[in-house]
Amino acid sequence: MMPDINEMLPFLIPLAIVEVVLLIYTLHHILTHQTYRHGSRALWIVITLIGMQFIGPILYFLLGREEN
């Protein structure tokens, strides 16, 4: 039996907020930095937007972000 959506809202709303904040922070970081460990700015924007549900931003911070 599927759980009712109203029962899941207390879990889904904070998860959605964290996801959007992580996406915005990641895009800000990509757009304000010039160098990346792997790939280019355009590649990381595409990966971040397509893999929006945590995977894209996490991949960027693990693989693409150049350490300053």
Side-chain angles (χ1 to χ4, degrees), residues 42-68:
L43 173 71
W44 284 112
I45 289 173
V46 169
I47 289 173
T48 300
L49 292 175
I50 291 175
M52 188 173 125
Q53 288 127 355
F54 291 113
I55 296 169
I58 291 172
L59 281 176
Y60 171 71
F61 285 110
L62 290 177
L63 302 175
R65 181 175 146 187
E66 182 70 30
E67 299 298 325
N68 293 335

Side-chain angles (χ1 to χ4, degrees), residues 28-39:
H28 175 270
H29 194 275
I30 292 170
L31 294 173
T32 58
H33 288 79
Q34 300 298 319
T35 58
Y36 310 94
R37 253 190 285 171
H38 304 288

Side-chain angles (χ1 to χ4, degrees), residues 11-32:
F11 172 73
L12 293 177
I13 291 173
L15 188 63
I17 291 170
V18 169
E19 183 177 329
V20 169
V21 168
L22 182 60
L23 175 67
I24 290 169
Y25 179 73
T26 303
L27 288 174
H28 175 270
H29 194 275
I30 292 170
L31 294 173
T32 58

